[in-house]
Amino acid sequence: MLKKQNRLTPKLAMLKVGARAIASTKHPILIHMIPMRRCNLACAYCNEYDDHSPPVPTEEMFRRIDKAAELGASMVTFSGGEPLMHPDIYDLIRRIADHGMLPELLTNAYYITPDRIHRLNDAGLLRMQISIDNVHPDDVSKKSLKTIGPKLDYLAAYADFDININSVIGASISNPEDALTIGRHARKLGFSSTVGVLHDGNGQLQPLGPQERAVYQDFRSTTPWPISQFMAFKDNLVEGRPNQWRCRAGARYLYVCEDGLVHRCSQQRGYPGIPFLEYTQEHIDAEYATEKDCAPYCTVSCVHNIAVFDNWRDPQKPDN
């Protein structure tokens, strides 16, 4: 029987995660799991969904969550696809929280209702991130402020968990200035707001034009601390410059696909390709010490954000 943990406020919980991450490198900070690859949408730029696969069985998800706790993970993030399509998503979130880990959910928010928000509160969700790509839906994305706006009002009224709204800029987005409108609306509701740089199928930078760069700089200038510090790596990318950093994917950050295999991230699937239930401290140590060739132009925010805790220590060796 798992022991239910006393719930910390989101800010205090994140401070605890940060302190533990700085104190020791011998555990994953964040494990990203896919409980559901299927999605209710089909955004043209996305390579992380299908329209047919079933949910990962709940008992199998429980085993993976238990394994995350065994490895000493601090946080577990669910995405997809659309994780709210999983029939037992609340039980999965509760399993994470009952282990003392912090649950996070990445969603398109289409399934958000007041009842679902209350159930997420009760399950112990710490943080939700919602992607909104435009003000009005178009052929590229239906994740629009017009469509999702009422869902945001529900969240502002009822959610006990933190909420971040993320928008993107890049060649596939027809109105990059929509990111500014989305960000202002999110902050008006009391949410944090970030903007991402669209990547190709390997997680690498897609070239940005002058309009996209100007929108990014405008957004960046109005982003409050500490969120602004976690956007700093994008400053080089929007100008087409590489970043010099130490990617700890496969160690401090793990991506576990619906088949239960560990990958370095969502855009570098296939390696190491080890079953998560067989992943060991030796695997973590090896990936921690390995330099990744894709790092200089990587746009994957969660991997960059986790690497902040270790960029100042422990040099890496080239990937063989």
Side-chain angles (χ1 to χ4, degrees), residues 276-309:
F276 181 53
L277 298 183
E278 300 173 14
Y279 216 64
T280 66
Q281 186 64 50
E282 287 72 24
H283 295 125
I284 290 172
D285 292 344
E287 288 294 324
Y288 180 88
T290 299
E291 182 180 293
K292 282 74 173 181
D293 294 339
C294 51
Y297 290 98
C298 171
T299 69
V300 183
S301 294
C302 49
V303 184
H304 275 274
N305 293 343
I306 294 304
V308 166
F309 294 103

Side-chain angles (χ1 to χ4, degrees), residues 2-203:
L2 298 174
K3 183 179 179 180
K4 189 176 180 71
Q5 303 292 315
N6 292 328
R7 184 168 181 175
L8 301 174
T9 65
K11 288 182 175 58
L12 184 58
M14 292 308 298
L15 285 172
K16 183 177 179 181
V17 167
R20 183 166 178 254
I22 291 170
S24 171
T25 64
K26 295 297 183 179
H27 67 279
I29 301 170
L30 173 62
I31 297 182
H32 192 143
M33 292 187 186
I34 308 301
M36 188 82 182
R37 183 63 69 184
R38 189 164 81 249
C39 189
N40 55 310
L41 301 179
C43 300
Y45 64 81
C46 183
N47 64 356
E48 297 184 49
Y49 75 97
D50 66 36
D51 61 0
H52 61 273
S53 61
V56 178
T58 298
E59 288 301 321
E60 176 59 26
M61 285 301 302
F62 282 167
R63 283 189 283 272
R64 295 175 191 177
I65 293 166
D66 294 349
K67 176 66 175 182
E70 177 188 320
L71 291 174
S74 294
M75 300 179 63
V76 176
T77 293
F78 288 150
S79 73
E82 175 46 58
L84 284 176
M85 293 178 71
H86 194 288
D88 293 320
I89 189 65
Y90 311 105
D91 292 334
L92 302 184
I93 291 170
R94 185 172 291 106
R95 187 83 167 199
I96 296 168
D98 286 353
H99 270 299
M101 299 182 292
L102 306 181
E104 182 182 44
L105 186 70
L106 277 58
T107 176
N108 60 42
Y110 267 64
Y111 290 99
I112 291 295
T113 64
D115 177 67
R116 287 178 180 267
I117 295 168
H118 292 307
R119 296 180 71 181
L120 291 169
N121 288 339
D122 291 342
L125 187 66
L126 174 88
R127 186 173 183 267
M128 175 182 286
Q129 177 161 295
I130 301 169
S131 295
I132 302 179
D133 298 329
N134 44 39
V135 174
H136 299 283
D138 57 26
D139 291 339
V140 171
S141 174
K142 308 302 180 187
K143 295 186 296 185
S144 68
L145 190 58
K146 180 179 180 180
T147 304
I148 300 173
K151 312 292 186 178
L152 302 184
D153 292 338
Y154 291 149
L155 288 163
Y158 304 118
D160 292 338
F161 42 86
D162 273 0
I163 297 154
N164 182 69
I165 306 300
N166 188 68
S167 54
V168 294
I169 52 174
S172 297
I173 304 301
S174 57
N175 297 302
E177 65 276 3
D178 281 1
L180 300 173
T181 302
I182 294 165
R184 285 192 291 266
H185 187 77
R187 293 166 193 167
K188 182 179 179 181
L189 291 173
F191 307 153
S192 61
S193 181
T194 52
V195 63
V197 180
L198 210 60
H199 55 70
D200 64 17
N202 293 312

